[in-house]
C-alpha cells in the first residue's frame, strides 16, 4: 500500500492517509478482507507519529471502511463502492451548492465557474 504525504498541502497528515486509503478501496486496489499495515508499521514507513496513524485508522473505521480485530490487525471492510461513491457525490453536491450561492452573490458567471472548476479539478489529479 503506497501512501504519499505532503507537508505543504495544508491538509492534515491523517486526512491525507484517510483520503488515499479510501481511494484505494474505491478503485478496487484494496479489497474486502485485505490487511492493512499495523499502525506502528505504517508510522515507521511514513516517518510519522503512531498517534497520527491511529487517528487515520479510527476515522476509516468510523466511516465503515475498515474493521479492527483485536490481536489480528486492521482489514478492509465489506464496502459497497457504489454506496460510497454516492455519499461522496452528495458531499460534492453540497459544496457545489455553496459555491453556486457564492457565485450568485458575487456576480460570477457560469462560464467563469466552469473554468475555475476545471482548473481546480485538474490541479488535484
Amino acid at each position: 500500500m503506497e501512501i504519499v504525504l505532503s507537508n505543504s498541502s495544508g491538509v492534515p497528515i491523517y486526512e491525507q492517509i484517510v483520503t488515499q486509503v479510501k481511494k484505494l478501496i474505491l478503485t478496487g486496489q484494496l479489497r474486502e478482507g485485505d490487511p492493512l499495515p499495523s499502525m506502528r508499521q505504517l508510522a515507521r514507513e511514513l516517518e510519522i507519529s503512531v498517534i497520527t496513524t491511529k487517528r487515520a485508522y479510527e476515522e476509516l473505521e468510523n466511516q465503515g471502511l475498515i474493521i479492527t480485530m483485536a490481536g489480528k490487525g486492521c482489514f478492509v471492510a465489506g464496502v459497497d463502492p457504489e454506496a460510497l461513491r454516492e455519499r461522496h457525490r452528495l458531499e460534492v453536491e453540497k459544496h457545489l451548492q455553496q459555491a453556486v450561492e457564492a457565485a450568485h452573490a458575487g456576480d460570477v458567471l457560469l462560464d467563469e465557474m466552469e473554468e475555475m472548476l476545471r482548473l481546480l479539478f485538474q490541479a488535484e489529479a
Side-chain angles (χ1 to χ4, degrees):
M1 180 171 78
E2 184 178 338
I3 294 180
V4 179
L5 301 177
S6 169
N7 291 325
S8 62
S9 73
V11 177
I13 298 295
Y14 85 94
E15 283 184 25
Q16 292 179 48
I17 295 168
V18 169
T19 299
Q20 291 181 50
V21 171
K22 258 192 216 182
K23 185 174 182 177
L24 292 170
I25 293 170
L26 276 174
T27 60
Q29 294 175 52
L30 284 176
R31 299 179 192 280
E32 180 177 353
D34 284 351
L36 297 179
S38 73
M39 290 178 215
R40 284 189 177 91
Q41 180 184 355
L42 185 61
R44 234 183 349 264
E45 289 173 7
L46 299 176
E47 299 179 348
I48 59 174
S49 165
V50 173
I51 293 169
T52 302
T53 57
K54 182 178 188 305
R55 186 170 181 190
Y57 278 23
E58 286 174 347
E59 180 63 28
L60 288 163
E61 192 163 25
N62 289 340
Q63 292 182 25
L65 297 171
I66 67 171
I67 55 172
T68 302
M69 295 182 181
K72 294 187 178 185
C74 296
F75 301 86
V76 176
V79 179
D80 177 5
E82 193 52 44
L84 189 56
R85 278 190 197 92
E86 185 59 27
R87 275 193 283 174
H88 283 281
R89 285 184 199 109
L90 289 171
E91 187 175 333
V92 169
E93 188 176 316
K94 180 180 79 172
H95 290 291
L96 287 174
Q97 181 60 44
Q98 292 171 344
V100 166
E101 290 168 8
H104 284 303
D107 235 5
V108 177
L109 301 174
L110 178 59
D111 290 345
E112 294 172 297
M113 288 286 293
E114 289 172 346
E115 182 61 22
M116 282 187 261
L117 181 59
R118 189 173 293 103
L119 290 171
L120 291 169
F121 197 83
Q122 289 170 349
E124 290 294 318

